[in-house]
Amino acid sequence: MNKIELLAPAGNLEKLKFAYSYGADACYIGGKNYSLRANATNFSLDEIKVATNYAHSINKKIYVTVNIVFHDDDTKEVVSYLKALSDCKVDAIIVSDPVIIDIVNKNNIDLAMHISTQASILNYETANFWKEKGITRIVLARELSKEEIKEIITRTGLEVETFVHGAMCSSYSGRCVLSNYLTNRDANRGGCAQICRWEFDLYDKDLNKIEADTKFTASSKDLMMASYIRDIISSGITSLKVEGRMRSNYYVATVINTYRNMIDDYYDNKLTDDKLNYYIKILNRVANREAKAQFWDKLPGVDEQYYLGRNEVSNQDFLGIVTDYDEESKIVTITERNYFQTGDEVEVFGPNIETFSFTMPDIYDSEGNKVNIARHPEEILKFRLDKKVYKNDIIRTKID
Amino acid sequence: MGNLIVVPSKKGDIKKLLLKDIKGLIIGIKDLSIYELELSIDEVIDIANNTDKDIYIAINKMIHNSDLSLVREVLTKVKNSKIKKVMAYDLGVFNLAKKLDIKKELIISQEHLNASSGSNNFYYENGIEDALITSDLTIDEIKKIKENTKNTIYYTVYGYLPIFYSRRLVLTNYFKYINKDMKSDRYYIYNNNLKYMIIEHNYGTIIYSPLVNLQNKMKDITKIINPIIDLSYTSDIEVLDKFINNELANDEYTGFFDKKTIYKLKDDNNE
């Protein structure tokens, strides 16, 4: 049985390697141009080549976003860019503008194409329109219910990719240019200023201000579909996509590792309610904003909107990352991220181990001095641990 | 006959509008349109039967699976009617039109997604020969598209443009959160002294741009594009006479006509 694909975001080469090692089957990345995260680090063509070779060497896939809405000036060098992506042998490009489909087809460029969520595909007739143009996969709009998704799958036979986790646009994708109008930054070319998260005074039709402690915003809580993972896998969806090319290594590792475990447990018939609740707890802990299932099972209401402004929870769970383990001395070396001390209950997780917890023993600095309190992010620290761990395993606060 | 195409805001205005020197009307179809005025397809066919002006229909709401049966019904009725053109946002509508062998002229009207010569050429080659192009283009970009395509190009020269469209009931949710009644049929937010209207519909919430008025720019574009005047949520149908008579306006909001958008905050190339 083919397992559902777990598709991770990767903002740079390091994040890409983290995502794969923590369980992603595929990653999506953006080039320096033509991607809807114009202000992320993104990948140069040389880096795309390196990333693709790396992915294929470990039997993983890589997709490249070319999903801006093109203006004429943007199309000048895109042919050579697409040919270069083809030469890199990326597994597919993710597009929203038909100009790219036209260029690929007319120039016989060997690239599979997926339609981006930016095109907001909401129905099976639209999906079939793209199928006739040779598209093999569609990334559905995030505004669809499970019944709508199932009907599209049944009536098209296309591979369907859906977002399951991460930030949400409040608008249908592609139909929002608030950023253009309020800040002159082009939302459909990767410059979105996230105006839907801004707060505004609200006025009625007579221009009387609505007096309230909380200002008006269109902001949405994040998306998390973990609680419906069984339904999602059995619905016929091909790929589960996690949002967040600009997120941290810790976030990507935690979210991907958690969904990996959920998916594997499902196929092994081991996904008990207790396990699922534990996974959801982990996902809730790593998030800096509250997350909901959004449109999967109902139309979102007030509980799915976010009214806390820019106040986002700063996550302190990420304590450190393993850089070395000496099997003889059983000494772990880590780079510290957040405060912890001897006696704290912590746990370690990673792609090659079962998550396990332990009480933090004595802690030493790189000179061998006992410190017992870790309070300097990026400091090299050491402690003894009998169980073997691996480079890039992550130490975090214990999650009960 | 003039070249202005008008989106009426009230059914009662239609007779008056048809007496003016305009090319025709675009009328939103009930339950399938985001325009203020929505009529049933039978009502629109009746209007088309009683005028020599062009009558277009608009299907510009986001189309979910559950809307497709109504789209099919509308297109089937359009097939042998006097309705001149079908304007739609969702490509599924065009797929259905092809299946139903609708010979009417089709207009792609993806407000903010259709921004290049290449995208318009793609649609042209796929049988969609008319295109409403995005409002966030400059005049120079519009000229380039006109030079490099065969499409008939439409551009909104007057109206409140939808610049945010959500399936969420954003206002209802907010009023629930602050525990107050929602009493107004429209609300406003401000930014940089410009006013943005928010209206909640049964299908979701739309935020509109400030009132765009390109009256003073008409000499630059009137030979390039087919100008659309969208009267939705305005009550001033007399503005039409000002366009017809080439009158100049006071300093009006012109959107991106002379102003490029930016999207990269730092200069960084692919290599």
Side-chain angles (χ1 to χ4, degrees):
Chain A
M1 180 195 296
N2 280 341
K3 276 189 184 177
I4 200 164
E5 179 182 84
L6 178 58
L7 176 54
N12 59 36
L13 208 50
E14 186 189 17
K15 287 178 189 173
L16 176 110
K17 289 182 176 176
F18 259 87
Y20 285 136
S21 72
Y22 274 84
D25 300 304
C27 281
Y28 63 100
I29 64 174
K32 296 284 186 188
N33 287 324
Y34 315 126
S35 158
L36 279 173
R37 297 288 177 274
N39 299 300
T41 308
N42 290 323
F43 288 68
S44 68
L45 272 172
D46 285 343
E47 288 168 329
I48 292 173
K49 179 79 179 162
V50 171
T52 308
N53 287 342
Y54 176 75
H56 292 169
S57 73
I58 54 172
N59 292 319
K60 308 271 187 177
K61 290 190 173 172
I62 189 162
Y63 311 133
V64 179
T65 55
V66 189
N67 58 347
I68 63 164
V69 172
F70 284 77
H71 290 217
D72 277 353
D73 282 351
D74 303 315
T75 59
K76 282 176 187 162
E77 291 168 16
V78 76
V79 178
S80 59
Y81 179 65
L82 293 168
K83 285 180 176 169
L85 290 181
S86 173
D87 291 342
C88 288
K89 301 200 180 311
V90 302
D91 293 285
I93 56 170
I94 303 171
V95 306
S96 69
D97 193 318
V99 68
I100 297 302
I101 297 166
D102 225 21
I103 289 170
V104 167
N105 289 337
K106 285 179 176 164
N107 290 278
N108 292 316
I109 300 172
D110 184 19
L111 281 171
M113 288 178 279
H114 300 170
I115 298 289
S116 167
T117 195
Q118 194 67 6
S120 272
I121 297 176
L122 292 161
N123 66 71
Y124 56 85
E125 289 293 350
T126 308
N128 278 326
F129 176 92
W130 290 118
K131 187 179 180 182
E132 284 187 20
K133 308 295 167 237
I135 299 301
T136 54
R137 180 184 288 193
I138 52 175
V139 189
L140 291 179
R142 282 171 271 203
E143 285 80 6
L144 293 175
S145 69
K146 63 180 170 185
E147 286 80 13
E148 290 174 315
I149 294 172
K150 282 181 186 175
E151 191 172 7
I152 289 171
I153 293 169
T154 308
R155 286 177 176 264
T156 66
L158 280 165
E159 288 187 3
V160 159
E161 183 178 306
T162 57
F163 278 93
V164 289
H165 200 92
M168 290 279 285
C169 289
S170 188
S171 165
Y172 286 106
S173 293
R175 282 199 96 153
C176 179
V177 285
L178 280 176
S179 178
N180 304 41
Y181 279 80
L182 276 75
T183 68
N184 204 37
R185 287 172 54 178
D186 194 331
N188 284 334
R189 288 196 285 175
C192 179
Q194 298 189 316
I195 309 299
C196 64
R197 294 187 177 190
W198 287 19
E199 293 176 328
F200 296 91
D201 289 325
L202 187 69
Y203 297 84
D204 68 13
K205 66 179 174 185
D206 300 316
L207 301 183
N208 297 311
K209 186 174 161 187
I210 306 300
E211 297 295 344
D213 292 337
T214 303
K215 290 192 176 196
F216 171 77
T217 175
S219 185
S220 156
K221 287 178 184 168
D222 284 357
L223 174 70
M224 180 169 68
M225 307 240 283
S227 51
Y228 296 99
I229 194 75
R230 298 182 184 99
D231 266 4
I232 291 166
I233 295 175
S234 64
S235 67
I237 290 169
T238 302
S239 180
L240 301 185
K241 186 171 203 166
V242 173
E243 179 276 345
R245 278 187 278 154
M246 293 168 87
R247 305 269 196 171
S248 68
N249 289 346
Y250 175 64
Y251 177 91
V252 171
T254 304
V255 172
I256 294 302
N257 184 250
T258 307
Y259 276 95
R260 175 80 276 149
N261 290 334
M262 255 186 268
I263 292 167
D264 290 348
D265 283 348
Y266 172 85
Y267 285 102
D268 293 341
N269 290 317
K270 289 179 183 168
L271 187 59
T272 61
D273 287 348
D274 282 351
K275 268 191 159 180
L276 185 56
N277 289 335
Y278 169 68
Y279 292 140
I280 290 169
K281 197 176 283 183
I282 293 171
L283 292 171
N284 278 326
R285 286 282 287 259
V286 76
N288 58 358
R289 288 159 61 92
E290 200 179 339
K292 294 280 184 178
Q294 302 291 352
F295 290 88
W296 178 258
D297 57 336
K298 64 181 175 64
L299 272 182
V302 63
D303 289 342
E304 280 73 28
Q305 303 273 153
Y306 194 81
Y307 295 108
L308 299 177
R310 287 292 189 176
N311 296 330
E312 295 175 349
V313 180
S314 171
N315 188 292
Q316 308 291 313
D317 287 350
F318 181 19
L319 304 181
I321 187 158
V322 175
T323 56
D324 185 54
Y325 181 75
D326 185 328
E327 288 193 58
E328 219 167 275
S329 65
K330 301 192 183 307
I331 295 296
V332 185
T333 306
I334 70 163
T335 303
E336 192 222 329
R337 285 292 192 275
N338 280 299
Y339 179 97
F340 62 95
Q341 61 183 333
T342 297
D344 282 354
E345 288 300 308
V346 302
E347 64 188 20
V348 58
F349 74 103
N352 304 305
I353 57 170
E354 283 276 328
T355 303
F356 66 91
S357 62
F358 59 97
T359 305
M360 182 58 68
D362 285 338
I363 307 165
Y364 299 87
D365 66 16
S366 56
E367 308 289 314
N369 304 308
K370 191 194 282 188
V371 290
N372 281 1
I373 294 178
R375 57 171 131 230
H376 304 297
E378 297 300 321
E379 187 177 12
I380 306 299
L381 298 170
K382 295 170 185 281
F383 56 86
R384 186 185 162 88
L385 191 63
D386 288 337
K387 271 195 180 177
K388 185 177 177 183
V389 291
Y390 297 85
K391 187 179 177 187
N392 288 338
D393 285 351
I394 288 174
I395 316 285
R396 71 180 171 210
T397 304
K398 187 181 175 189
I399 298 172
D400 293 318
Chain B
M1 187 168 67
N3 66 345
L4 295 171
I5 302 148
V6 180
V7 180
S9 62
K10 292 169 198 66
K11 193 178 176 185
D13 290 342
I14 287 177
K15 274 188 184 165
K16 268 187 279 180
L17 290 171
L18 288 172
L19 291 173
K20 291 185 185 287
D21 184 22
I22 62 171
K23 187 172 185 183
L25 300 179
I26 304 172
I27 301 176
I29 295 298
K30 190 167 169 46
D31 297 328
L32 295 176
S33 166
I34 60 169
Y35 289 141
E36 182 181 16
L37 176 66
E38 294 181 310
L39 298 179
S40 72
I41 186 60
D42 294 331
E43 288 174 292
V44 183
I45 289 172
D46 193 44
I47 292 166
N49 285 338
N50 289 292
T51 179
D52 56 355
K53 299 268 167 68
D54 292 349
I55 302 295
Y56 308 167
I57 60 162
I59 301 176
N60 52 4
K61 189 177 86 96
M62 296 306 271
I63 302 294
H64 288 254
N65 290 340
S66 56
D67 298 312
L68 288 171
S69 58
L70 180 57
V71 175
R72 182 181 283 271
E73 183 188 326
V74 167
L75 291 177
T76 305
K77 288 186 175 178
V78 162
K79 191 171 184 176
N80 297 312
S81 74
K82 276 187 71 188
I83 286 168
K84 177 93 172 165
K85 301 193 185 200
V86 176
M87 177 183 249
Y89 181 95
D90 194 298
L91 293 168
V93 176
F94 300 108
N95 210 49
L96 260 178
K98 191 176 160 192
K99 278 187 191 171
L100 296 168
D101 196 28
I102 307 291
K103 300 292 185 198
K104 302 288 176 188
E105 292 165 62
L106 305 171
I107 309 174
I108 178 88
S109 68
Q110 296 193 325
E111 290 132 4
H112 307 299
L113 295 182
N114 188 10
S116 71
S117 304
S119 58
N120 281 291
N121 286 332
F122 170 89
Y123 292 124
Y124 188 88
E125 287 163 17
N126 281 280
I128 307 166
E129 297 182 358
D130 292 14
L132 171 72
I133 53 175
T134 177
S135 60
D136 34 276
L137 291 172
T138 64
I139 177 63
D140 292 336
E141 291 174 313
I142 297 168
K143 282 178 183 169
K144 264 192 197 166
I145 290 174
K146 182 62 186 171
E147 284 165 17
N148 296 318
T149 64
K150 293 180 190 162
N151 305 65
T152 304
I153 303 292
Y154 297 80
Y155 190 78
T156 308
V157 296
Y158 182 89
Y160 295 107
L161 308 173
I163 58 172
F164 165 98
Y165 175 0
S166 175
R167 196 180 188 186
R168 299 163 193 272
L169 302 179
V170 174
L171 287 170
T172 295
N173 292 339
Y174 174 67
F175 278 95
K176 266 188 195 165
Y177 188 79
I178 63 170
N179 200 22
K180 287 195 170 186
D181 292 334
M182 193 172 122
K183 294 174 180 166
S184 189
D185 63 355
R186 64 192 67 180
Y187 288 86
Y188 297 93
I189 54 174
Y190 284 87
N191 184 68
N192 288 336
N193 296 320
L194 291 170
K195 193 168 69 169
Y196 297 81
M197 178 169 62
I198 310 174
I199 298 184
E200 193 171 282
H201 309 267
N202 58 359
Y203 54 79
T205 309
I206 295 184
I207 302 178
Y208 297 84
S209 72
L211 184 66
V212 169
N213 186 345
L214 299 182
Q215 212 174 311
N216 296 347
K217 309 286 183 182
M218 290 302 282
K219 66 177 184 339
D220 296 327
I221 52 171
T222 199
K223 287 188 178 133
I224 307 172
I225 52 103
N226 288 274
I228 295 177
I229 294 191
D230 184 351
L231 297 174
S232 299
Y233 307 106
T234 70
S235 49
D236 178 19
I237 72 165
E238 303 313 319
V239 75
L240 203 50
D241 296 324
K242 294 175 184 167
F243 275 88
I244 291 167
N245 298 326
N246 297 316
E247 288 177 30
L248 292 178
N250 294 325
D251 192 23
E252 299 285 0
Y253 179 74
T254 56
F256 294 94
F257 195 81
D258 301 310
K259 185 174 71 172
K260 262 190 170 179
T261 52
I262 55 165
Y263 56 103
K264 279 179 90 84
L265 302 182
K266 55 191 178 196
D267 194 22
D268 209 354
N269 294 320
N270 265 320
E271 290 297 343

